[in-house]
Amino acid sequence: MSVNTIILKPDICDASNRDLAHPPELMQDREHNGLITYWQTVTWRRHPEPLLANITMSWNKSLELTDDVLITFEYGRPTIMILDKSMDHGRSWQPYQFYADDCLDAFNMAPKRVRDLSPANITKVLCTEQYSRWVGSKNDKNVKFEVRARFAVFAGPRLQNMDSLYTRMESMKGLKDFFTFTNLRLRLLRPALGGTYVQRDNLLKYFYAISNIDVPA
């Protein structure tokens, strides 16, 4: 009796082959028939330590955020990242939010959530651990920059009093500017680890992959 063994060889990303490429435009393409397409970096094995990547989005005009910014990661969310914004077309940058599995260790900041803010400090730049800690599930794909929750401080939990928000936008110094930008930038500083330490003998498992970036503005 003979047994035939089938060995499945995984495809390797190849930018020169359309079927094997993971170009940046796949972060914003239209996906059909349930097929998820995504951009992907090289693995940690092919990159100097640490594995870093920047993603810059430019609009050539000033925009105002109207809802949550949503970034969808495939195969694990970064354990450390920063969302930056520019108001002068990329000539200067300032942090919008810090993300880490341990905010004190990564940025020397105490972890906070938007719900901890008050009207007096609503434009405070936070570090959150909500979207970075490993929970053992690939179903947790999304990372948010919470805009609606900041709006709710003035407009109510269901945003039923938008007039109050608009009045504050015009009268409160720096509030309107906080939601205004010309460019956004993701600084990916450490990929999903799948645990508490880096497996040095299997660096191929570490990379960044983004299937969607939604910026309502």
Side-chain angles (χ1 to χ4, degrees):
M1 177 179 179
S2 62
V3 177
N4 293 325
T5 302
I6 300 176
I7 299 176
L8 298 178
K9 182 179 179 181
D11 290 328
I12 297 176
C13 301
D14 183 352
S16 65
N17 184 328
R18 182 177 179 181
D19 293 331
L20 300 178
H22 296 275
E25 54 265 29
L26 293 184
M27 291 185 281
Q28 283 291 307
D29 67 330
R30 295 182 179 274
E31 297 171 340
H32 302 284
N33 301 322
L35 176 65
I36 296 176
T37 55
Y38 56 89
W39 162 85
Q40 181 179 317
T41 63
V42 297
T43 69
W44 201 332
R45 182 177 175 181
R46 295 178 55 196
H47 194 280
E49 186 179 350
L51 180 60
L52 307 176
N54 282 355
I55 300 166
T56 303
M57 295 161 280
S58 305
W59 286 270
N60 296 318
K61 60 182 178 181
S62 292
L63 298 172
E64 290 181 26
L65 290 173
T66 59
D67 209 332
D68 297 343
V69 175
L70 186 67
I71 306 108
T72 304
F73 287 89
E74 302 296 326
Y75 306 103
R77 299 176 292 190
T79 53
I80 303 178
M81 65 173 270
I82 303 172
L83 175 65
D84 293 326
K85 79 163 187 173
S86 174
M87 296 180 66
D88 56 12
H89 305 282
R91 288 186 290 273
S92 63
W93 294 90
Q94 61 194 76
Y96 235 165
Q97 187 150 299
F98 297 88
Y99 301 82
D101 57 349
D102 187 330
C103 286
L104 281 173
D105 181 64
F107 300 113
N108 197 28
M109 298 174 67
K112 290 186 179 295
R113 300 181 67 168
V114 174
R115 67 187 182 191
D116 300 325
L117 298 177
S118 68
N121 65 354
I122 196 62
T123 59
K124 182 179 179 65
V125 176
L126 306 179
C127 180
T128 178
E129 297 176 351
Q130 182 179 359
Y131 303 104
S132 307
R133 288 185 167 176
W134 177 258
V135 293
S137 173
K138 292 182 179 179
N139 293 325
D140 295 306
K141 296 182 176 184
N142 294 327
V143 173
K144 284 185 180 181
F145 176 65
E146 296 178 71
V147 174
R148 290 178 65 88
R150 293 182 191 256
F151 287 171
V153 171
F154 301 111
R158 297 183 180 179
L159 304 185
Q160 69 271 24
N161 190 4
M162 293 300 289
D163 286 344
S164 176
L165 173 63
Y166 298 145
T167 299
R168 291 294 189 117
M169 283 280 200
E170 298 302 327
S171 63
M172 185 175 173
K173 184 178 180 181
L175 182 59
K176 188 173 183 179
D177 283 348
F178 181 80
F179 297 105
T180 302
F181 62 95
T182 60
N183 306 68
L184 294 177
R185 179 175 66 186
L186 291 175
R187 282 190 279 160
L188 309 178
L189 304 180
R190 192 173 70 193
L193 300 182
T196 58
Y197 64 94
V198 176
Q199 296 180 19
R200 299 289 174 183
D201 59 343
N202 190 18
L203 292 178
L204 284 171
K205 68 184 289 186
Y206 304 118
F207 56 87
Y208 305 104
I210 296 178
S211 59
N212 191 58
I213 299 178
D214 187 15
V215 183

